[in-house]
Amino acid sequence: MPPEPADPVAGGPVPGIVVRPARTGDVRAIRALVTPLAEARVLLQKEAVAYYESVADFVVAETDGSDGTAPRVVGCGALHVLWEDLGEVRTLAVDASVLGRGVGSAVLARLVERAHALGLSRLFCLTFETDFFGRHGFEVIEGQAVEPAVYAELLRSYDEGVAEFLDLERVKPNTLGNTRMLRVL
């Protein structure tokens, strides 16, 4: 089992939590984490098939059972490659029962590790949690984060998240009103 990621804010592993790649069996738990946030209009709810199609993009934070209870998924997040040097952090969600314990930071740290391993040099996100992402090196951006030629190529994508990244009102309006942020790795 890989070591627990360090929590970049607190500076150490999160006790009782293991962050690991998601498996198909985690999709129901991921959707359960996203549902209350979708109802609060913080995240968009997707169809189950979309989660299965992108399960390889996800990591989950799971309790390790050290307290005598069965392990359960308490956090998730995804890294989606958009271009040669650019990825997007998607669907970062944490169960309300563990908020403030560094679970979101641990998930994000694992996604950053994956981005480095893939050779990405920039990470993008759309979020309401600007303070959280700001503490992790993301900065608010205006306009496009890619050159016009890359923008033209990305226009060919069928991925709704890419349309959201491109801020295409005609394809997928930013109905949530969230903030565009970027981190250089």
Side-chain angles (χ1 to χ4, degrees):
M1 183 175 297
E4 296 178 16
D7 174 358
V9 175
V14 180
I17 301 293
V18 174
V19 179
R20 61 168 175 77
R23 300 183 287 256
T24 56
D26 297 320
V27 168
R28 285 192 171 113
I30 291 168
R31 290 190 80 208
L33 287 170
V34 171
T35 296
L37 296 171
E39 290 169 354
R41 299 186 47 82
V42 173
L43 290 176
L44 291 176
Q45 183 67 274
K46 299 175 188 171
E47 297 296 329
V49 67
Y51 289 104
Y52 286 110
E53 289 173 344
S54 63
V55 73
D57 290 352
F58 277 86
V59 298
V60 294
E62 181 178 65
T63 58
D64 65 7
S66 60
D67 62 357
T69 61
R72 70 183 177 97
V73 172
V74 293
C76 67
L79 173 65
H80 184 77
V81 175
L82 294 173
W83 198 250
E84 176 182 11
D85 65 336
L86 180 66
E88 181 182 2
V89 173
R90 294 181 174 179
T91 320
L92 185 57
V94 174
D95 188 272
S97 69
V98 296
L99 283 176
R101 288 187 44 203
V103 173
S105 294
V107 168
L108 184 57
R110 182 59 57 89
L111 296 176
V112 169
E113 287 174 12
R114 285 178 133 190
H116 281 293
L118 289 167
L120 301 177
S121 59
R122 300 179 300 153
L123 286 178
F124 169 81
C125 69
L126 283 166
T127 186
F128 287 108
E129 300 296 333
T130 55
D131 290 341
F132 171 82
F133 281 97
R135 287 191 307 272
H136 293 84
F138 285 77
E139 296 181 3
V140 175
I141 62 168
E142 298 292 329
Q144 289 304 320
V146 294
E147 299 296 321
V150 173
Y151 181 90
E153 287 287 332
L154 289 173
L155 283 174
R156 297 183 180 129
S157 174
Y158 293 104
D159 185 278
E160 286 186 6
V162 173
E164 196 172 27
F165 165 72
L166 297 175
D167 202 21
L168 299 179
E169 286 287 328
R170 64 179 175 77
V171 178
K172 187 171 187 296
N174 185 352
T175 55
L176 299 179
N178 45 23
T179 300
R180 301 159 59 83
M181 299 184 80
L182 187 73
R183 174 178 170 180
V184 177
L185 302 178

